[in-house]
Amino acid sequence: MSFFKMKTARIGFVVVFVVILVFGLALMGSVLSAKPQNLPVALVVLDQPATLPDGSALAVGEMVKEKLKGIAELPVKWVEVSSEADLETQLDEQKVYGALVLPADLSSGVASLQSPSPKPATVRIVLNEGTNAQAVSAVRMILQQVTNTISSQLSGQLLGQIGQHTQQMPVSAANALLHPFQLTEQVVHPAGSNNANGSAPNLLVQIMWLACMVASAFLFVTARQHGQNRRSLASTVASQLTVGVLLVTAASAFLLWMAHAWYGMAIAQLGATWLYLWLMAVAFFLVQTALLNWIGLPSMLLLVLIFFFSIPVIGMPQELLPQVTVDWLYSWTPLRYAAAGLRSIMYFAGKGTLSQSLYVLAGMAAAGLILAALAVFKPRKAARPSVAA
């Protein structure tokens, strides 16, 4: 028989293209068409109108707000915030990726540009670095472009008004008119050193998922070899779960110690981070063990697919993903919830989405424990008599 007519060769040809199709969809389908849309950014207008020499009022803050809202092509969802305290709450709860703060003296600073002693105001860009590196980078670029455009428009408008009254002006006033306000950048909730630009929680979650997969697989094989009848099977499953929980407890502690001691990962709350990492590891192990106890080793394929489909998703903000990916993957993948809670602890002192992540992980752990234990009652084929018997 020809080599190319062998059954395994024909199956291999098909499997190659299936692998390319499946993993291409997992690793490229969610990211190649990603583009920012409706990124939540806070707009804080603290500006107080100023009175010009001719008695008219100048409200630059309202003017800027109207211009920003009139730019329909901006991939930004402006969240109006009335005070610095409200802005801090929005940042702490991870509801916005950044903010544009128009100070109280913005109008008076612009008005002073026509005087002999100009005092430009300072507009502040705030970046919520701990939320998501890609989203924050996009917000930084958008806000810088927007403020530069508005600055040029204000400069041209002021030069036109002054030109109607005088043909000459001091050099200092001319330089000030070219830059109607100063721009500063503030970073809050920084990721810290050696945190992969804020991606450290995603890396820890991925490593923990793979470690729990290995632990679940080896303990499942061991349990299958150990337990033969229903009575011994119950004690075997109990031992399987007990040993597994102890194993992932040690593994989670070792992973955190390795990241901090070997690679210098900055972790502000080591105790709280380890407790959360432990709960995550236990939830992962119990769910994976439940699938293995009911389906067997073929369930490893499902766990691998969940891992590969989740890798690009947990590293990107929801606003950059296609809606199909958000509805069918981002909304339910356990790795995303685990990473969000870990991010809240590491960068936001437990504020924001931590409670939701804890509920999800606790629910996973409880469901996995119950299902893994109930696998004792799964129907099994009768053991074949041995050759010796």
Side-chain angles (χ1 to χ4, degrees):
M1 180 182 293
S2 172
F3 179 85
F4 295 101
K5 293 182 179 180
M6 297 291 291
K7 183 179 180 180
T8 52
R10 294 198 301 268
I11 294 175
F13 294 156
V14 175
V15 171
V16 167
F17 288 97
V18 170
V19 168
I20 292 176
L21 177 64
V22 173
F23 287 95
L25 178 62
L27 299 178
M28 296 189 296
S30 300
V31 297
L32 294 185
S33 60
K35 58 180 180 180
Q37 52 186 350
N38 295 324
L39 294 169
V41 177
L43 179 59
V44 189
V45 182
L46 306 176
D47 180 48
Q48 300 296 323
T51 303
L52 297 176
D54 59 0
S56 61
L58 177 64
V60 179
E62 289 297 320
M63 183 191 312
V64 171
K65 183 174 77 170
E66 294 302 322
K67 287 184 178 181
L68 291 176
K69 290 189 172 184
I71 307 176
E73 60 271 16
L74 277 181
V76 168
K77 177 184 176 183
W78 295 107
V79 179
E80 292 190 42
V81 179
S82 59
S83 65
E84 293 275 7
D86 292 340
L87 173 61
E88 184 177 355
T89 301
Q90 293 280 333
L91 295 169
D92 290 344
E93 295 180 356
Q94 306 174 51
K95 293 182 178 180
V96 294
Y97 295 115
L100 181 63
V101 182
L102 306 179
D105 60 345
L106 179 59
S107 293
S108 59
V110 172
S112 70
L113 300 180
Q114 304 182 34
S115 65
S117 55
K119 296 180 180 179
T122 301
V123 172
R124 192 164 88 251
I125 292 177
V126 183
L127 301 172
N128 204 4
E129 187 176 72
T131 50
N132 184 279
Q134 295 188 44
V136 170
S137 178
V139 167
R140 173 189 281 114
M141 183 176 63
I142 291 170
L143 293 183
Q144 287 177 348
Q145 291 177 349
V146 164
T147 50
N148 288 336
T149 300
I150 293 175
S151 176
S152 299
Q153 292 177 353
L154 284 175
S155 177
Q157 183 177 346
L158 291 172
L159 285 171
Q161 291 177 354
I162 295 177
Q164 296 176 358
H165 303 287
T166 180
Q167 298 297 323
Q168 296 180 349
M169 66 178 65
V171 176
S172 59
N175 289 331
L177 285 172
L178 294 177
H179 304 282
F181 52 79
Q182 298 176 354
L183 188 65
T184 62
E185 189 175 292
Q186 177 188 2
V187 175
V188 297
H189 301 296
S193 59
N194 299 325
N195 265 250
N197 295 324
S199 299
N202 303 338
L203 298 177
L204 294 176
V205 169
Q206 294 170 22
I207 295 172
M208 204 71 255
W209 178 267
L210 292 176
C212 292
M213 276 180 57
V214 173
S216 302
F218 275 92
L219 291 177
F220 167 74
V221 173
T222 304
R224 190 168 61 175
Q225 295 173 351
H226 182 267
Q228 298 298 328
N229 55 61
R230 183 144 306 185
R231 180 175 298 178
S232 63
L233 186 59
S235 62
T236 297
V237 171
S239 300
Q240 175 192 17
L241 298 178
T242 302
V243 173
V245 169
L246 293 176
L247 176 58
V248 298
T249 298
S252 61
F254 176 76
L255 173 60
L256 194 62
W257 173 79
M258 180 181 68
H260 183 63
W262 289 11
Y263 303 110
M265 183 182 293
I267 302 174
Q269 304 182 53
L270 275 172
T273 304
W274 175 73
L275 286 175
Y276 182 87
L277 200 63
W278 169 80
L279 175 61
M280 179 206 309
V282 170
F284 286 172
F285 167 77
L286 291 176
V287 169
Q288 294 168 358
T289 300
L291 291 173
L292 285 165
N293 286 359
W294 278 97
I295 303 175
L297 287 177
S299 63
M300 291 295 293
L301 176 61
L302 174 61
L303 297 176
V304 170
L305 288 176
I306 291 176
F307 174 76
F308 278 103
F309 271 89
S310 299
I311 286 178
V313 170
I314 65 175
M316 298 183 67
Q318 178 179 351
E319 293 80 9
L320 266 71
L321 295 172
Q323 191 59 42
V324 175
T325 303
V326 174
D327 295 336
W328 290 91
L329 181 60
Y330 184 86
S331 59
W332 64 266
T333 176
L335 278 73
R336 192 264 293 186
Y337 288 100
L342 192 57
R343 183 178 301 278
S344 295
I345 292 178
M346 294 180 65
Y347 305 145
F348 295 88
K351 299 176 182 178
T353 60
L354 177 60
S355 58
Q356 183 186 33
S357 298
L358 289 174
Y359 289 140
V360 171
L361 292 179
M364 288 175 56
L369 177 62
I370 295 172
L371 291 174
L374 289 177
V376 174
F377 303 100
K378 183 181 73 170
R380 287 173 172 79
K381 295 180 180 179
R384 295 181 178 179
S386 64
V387 176

